[in-house]
Amino acid sequence: MTTPRLFKNGIAVTGLVIIVLYVILIMISLFWLPFDPSEMSPEHMLEAPSFATGHLFGTDEFGRDVLSRIMKGSSVSLIISLSATALGAVIGIFMGIWAGFLGGRWDNAIMRFADILFSFPSLLLAIFIMAILGENTFNVIIAIGIVYIPQFARISRGAIIALKSNEFIRAARSNGAGDTYILFKHLLPNSIAPIIVQISLSLSVAILLESALSFLGLGVQPPEPSWGNMLSSARKVMMLAPWTAIYPGLAIVILVLGFNLLGDGLRDILDPRLRNVR
């Protein structure tokens, strides 16, 4: 029943269309790019966008095609965001469901650890982790994943606590069901809705965090293109060549908007209290 409601929700459909278009762009970039995104051409430095030259989004300060670098960077940004969100979700959900289910000192210990992580601003915590681990793509995934652990832990814990005192859980216990069976057969499937919404919204923030880390020189390292390091390089020439900053910035904005719209639409669909609001 969720899928038909998804396609009836204009906000969710808009977000989904944006994401699908980006996925198509990534698939195309795996097999074809207008130019080599790392090839420097001094004779084409800072060329304005033009159909005549074939550089539809212009070139940067090294003569590299901006469109090709955006296409190549799209896969980098999306893969990092998906991997980091998956890492944070798996660890955070595991912590949260056991904290909510076991309660007592286990709940207190797990959630105090989550509170410690939550006390740091997301970007500051990611920078701190990158400073410890070093600058490479894999460490960006770890850093952003750790940032997301307390968010998923809190959401899953709250959902488990709200469900575990319900009648169907008591009925399962009276039929001899064990804790593990109840947790994974009854509690987790019924608490999945807020987790799905959080995953969608977290993907948008993960893209911003990855871009911010790359912008600061802590994420994807040149010459590998990333939307963040493209913006960082564009700072030096954006007054002469504004297209070097405009197009990577728009790529970030539109994809983040897509995930936010999808998350907002999923919340309306999955939350019965909001289902008839819009």
Side-chain angles (χ1 to χ4, degrees):
M1 295 298 292
T2 301
T3 303
R5 289 203 301 268
L6 174 66
F7 291 107
K8 291 179 181 178
N9 187 293
I11 293 176
V13 169
T14 303
L16 187 60
V17 168
I18 292 172
I19 294 167
V20 168
L21 290 176
Y22 269 83
V23 172
I24 293 172
L25 180 68
I26 291 170
M27 296 302 295
I28 292 173
S29 71
L30 296 177
F31 301 99
W32 175 83
L33 290 169
F35 296 90
D36 185 338
S38 300
E39 183 180 356
M40 299 183 186
S41 301
E43 66 275 16
H44 296 297
M45 290 191 306
L46 301 179
E47 285 188 355
S50 170
F51 283 97
T53 61
H55 298 290
L56 302 184
F57 286 4
T59 62
D60 63 11
E61 70 275 22
F62 297 109
R64 298 173 298 190
D65 182 61
V66 173
L67 175 59
S68 299
R69 291 180 63 77
I70 289 175
M71 291 176 66
K72 181 68 174 177
S74 63
S75 60
V76 175
S77 297
L78 197 57
I79 289 171
I80 289 176
S81 302
L82 288 169
S83 302
T85 302
L87 177 64
V90 169
I91 298 175
I93 292 169
F94 180 81
M95 291 171 55
I97 61 177
W98 283 109
F101 188 70
L102 297 176
R105 61 183 181 180
W106 285 105
D107 182 24
N108 188 57
I110 291 172
M111 295 316 296
R112 294 300 75 75
F113 172 72
D115 287 341
I116 291 172
L117 294 179
F118 228 158
S119 64
F120 292 91
S122 298
L123 181 57
L124 182 61
L125 178 58
I127 291 172
F128 175 72
I129 297 169
M130 289 298 299
I132 295 174
L133 298 179
E135 302 165 4
N136 64 57
T137 303
F138 183 72
N139 290 341
V140 173
I141 294 172
I142 295 175
I144 299 175
I146 292 174
V147 168
Y148 279 147
I149 288 175
Q151 300 178 26
F152 283 102
R154 282 191 170 186
I155 288 174
S156 55
R157 172 183 177 268
I160 294 297
I161 290 175
L163 288 169
K164 71 177 184 178
S165 59
N166 285 358
E167 292 296 331
F168 70 94
I169 301 299
R170 296 175 186 172
R173 286 193 184 280
S174 66
N175 289 329
D179 288 348
T180 304
Y181 180 86
I182 290 173
L183 184 59
F184 290 99
K185 182 67 176 179
H186 296 291
L187 291 176
L188 189 56
N190 284 284
S191 62
I192 202 69
I195 294 173
I196 290 174
V197 174
Q198 182 61 35
I199 288 173
S200 179
L201 296 175
S202 296
L203 284 168
S204 66
V205 181
I207 291 167
L208 292 175
L209 284 174
E210 183 277 324
S211 299
L213 290 173
S214 296
F215 181 85
L216 296 171
L218 297 173
V220 178
Q221 298 299 305
E224 183 73 17
S226 164
W227 295 338
N229 63 31
M230 289 179 69
L231 286 174
S232 180
S233 299
R235 288 181 303 169
K236 309 167 189 175
V237 297
M238 62 185 301
M239 298 303 295
L240 293 173
W243 57 86
T244 58
I246 291 173
Y247 292 118
L250 282 175
I252 295 171
V253 169
I254 294 172
L255 184 55
V256 169
L257 176 64
F259 279 117
N260 281 335
L261 290 176
L262 179 60
D264 193 36
L266 287 173
R267 184 188 60 189
D268 294 348
I269 294 166
L270 297 173
D271 190 338
R273 296 169 298 180
L274 299 175
R275 204 166 284 167
N276 298 318
V277 172
R278 291 176 179 168

